[in-house]
Amino acid sequence: MSTPPPGRSSRELYARRSLKAIAARWDARADSWDRALDDPDCHLNDDDAYRRFIREARRLIARRRPFCALHGVIDAGCGTGLVLAEVISSFAWGIGIDISPRMIRVARARRLGKAKFIVGDCFQLPSLCPKAGAIFSRGVLLSHYGREQGGDILNAARAALAPGGFLVIDFLNEAARTRQRHAPEDKNWFTGEEIQSMARRAGFAAARVLGKPDRRALLLLAKT
Ligand SMILES: C[S@@+](CC[C@H](N)C(=O)[O-])C[C@H]1O[C@@H](n2cnc3c(N)ncnc32)[C@H](O)[C@@H]1O
C-alpha cells in the first residue's frame, strides 16, 4: 500500500473515515491489483484467503439458487470487480461499489453482463442500490474501519438487503493473529464472538462465522 500522508497513519484515515484520502490510496493500487492477486506469494493471498472466499460464496449461492436467481447481488468495496465477476451469473443483476474511481475504471473494463460498477461509499449502500438478495464484501473492510464504523457498515448492509437476503464479509481473525507472517498492527482483529454480536446489534436475525479457527481471515455470514 502507498505511504499515508505525513502525520496520518492508515488507522487514523480509516478511523476518521477520510474517504478522499482512502480512495487516493486505493487508486494507486488499481492498475496492479489483479496482477498482485495472481501472484501466489503476494500477502493478499496469505492463507489462500481470496480463493477460500470465492469457494464459500459459491457454496452459499448453490444452497439458494432460486432465491439468488430472482434477486440482485452487491459487491461492496468491489475493487476491480473480481468477486462480482465470479458470482454474477447466479443473480438477476449485480452492482459493484467502490470509493476508488480507478478501481471502478478497471472493473468497468471487464464489461460484465448484468452488472454495473459505481463509485460510492459502502456506508451509503441503501441509498445507492436497490435491495439485493446478497452482499459480498472481500478485503477485510471491517478490519480497516474498526469496531464502531464496522457496526455502521453492517447496518448499511442490512438495510440494503431484501427480506431473506444475506451478507458475506471477511475480517481478520484475532485467534490466529500471532501465527501470521503478515499481521498488520494498524488493522482491527476480531474474535468470532465479537463479530457475531456486532452483526446482531446491526439488526441481523442470524449471524455465523465461517472458516477454521486458525485462518487469518474468517467470513461473517449474516442473514436478515
Ligand atoms: C482490499 S480491497 C478489496 C477489493 C476487492 N473486493 C477484491 O477482493 O479484490 C478493498 C477495497 O475497498 C474499497 N473501499 C474502502 N473503503 C470503502 C468505502 N467506504 N466504500 C466503498 N469502497 C471502499 C477500496 O477502495 C478497495 O478497492
Side-chain angles (χ1 to χ4, degrees):
M1 184 176 286
S2 57
T3 316
R8 287 281 161 88
S9 66
S10 167
R11 188 185 271 274
E12 216 183 338
L13 290 185
Y14 282 96
R16 289 166 180 258
R17 216 189 283 180
S18 305
L19 292 185
K20 262 189 162 173
I22 295 169
R25 298 182 77 194
W26 289 106
D27 273 347
R29 304 184 74 184
D31 290 338
S32 58
W33 187 253
D34 289 3
R35 247 189 344 268
L37 276 169
D38 275 346
D39 174 0
D41 290 331
C42 173
H43 77 268
L44 296 169
N45 288 314
D46 276 2
D47 204 20
D48 204 22
Y50 177 70
R51 280 193 307 191
R52 275 195 297 117
F53 188 98
I54 298 297
R55 268 202 305 273
E56 203 57 68
R58 289 203 176 122
R59 195 179 63 79
L60 294 166
I61 291 167
R63 289 185 182 172
R64 300 165 171 82
R65 286 249 171 256
F67 176 83
C68 292
L70 285 175
H71 289 84
V73 58
I74 297 171
D75 183 355
C78 64
T80 61
L82 287 164
V83 171
L84 194 56
E86 297 280 354
V87 300
I88 183 70
S89 61
S90 303
F91 289 89
W93 52 263
I95 300 181
I97 293 188
D98 201 285
I99 44 160
S100 155
R102 287 205 188 178
M103 288 284 190
I104 290 295
R105 195 171 65 193
V106 178
R108 283 181 182 149
R110 287 184 191 281
R111 302 195 177 286
L112 278 188
K114 296 194 286 185
K116 68 177 178 179
F117 289 96
I118 55 183
V119 177
D121 175 11
C122 65
F123 288 87
Q124 311 298 332
L125 275 189
S127 63
L128 295 172
C129 321
K131 287 192 190 280
I135 299 176
F136 293 101
S137 181
R138 199 213 72 91
V140 298
L141 279 188
L142 297 174
S143 291
H144 283 293
Y145 282 96
R147 285 164 176 75
E148 202 179 317
Q149 312 220 53
D152 293 342
I153 292 177
L154 294 174
N155 256 312
R158 200 243 324 121
L161 282 168
F166 63 101
L167 163 72
V168 181
I169 185 166
D170 58 355
F171 62 94
L172 293 171
N173 174 22
E174 174 64 39
R177 182 178 194 158
T178 53
R179 279 181 232 137
Q180 303 310 315
R181 181 162 59 101
H182 180 74
E185 290 291 322
D186 61 350
K187 301 226 174 27
N188 298 269
W189 297 68
F190 297 94
T191 65
E193 295 283 302
E194 198 177 356
I195 219 85
Q196 289 173 85
S197 35
M198 280 168 66
R200 284 191 287 267
R201 275 201 302 279
F204 283 98
R208 191 149 77 79
V209 169
L210 309 175
K212 297 208 175 105
D214 59 343
R215 291 302 200 181
R216 179 175 185 270
L218 293 176
L219 274 57
L220 166 70
L221 167 65
K223 301 180 198 169
T224 55

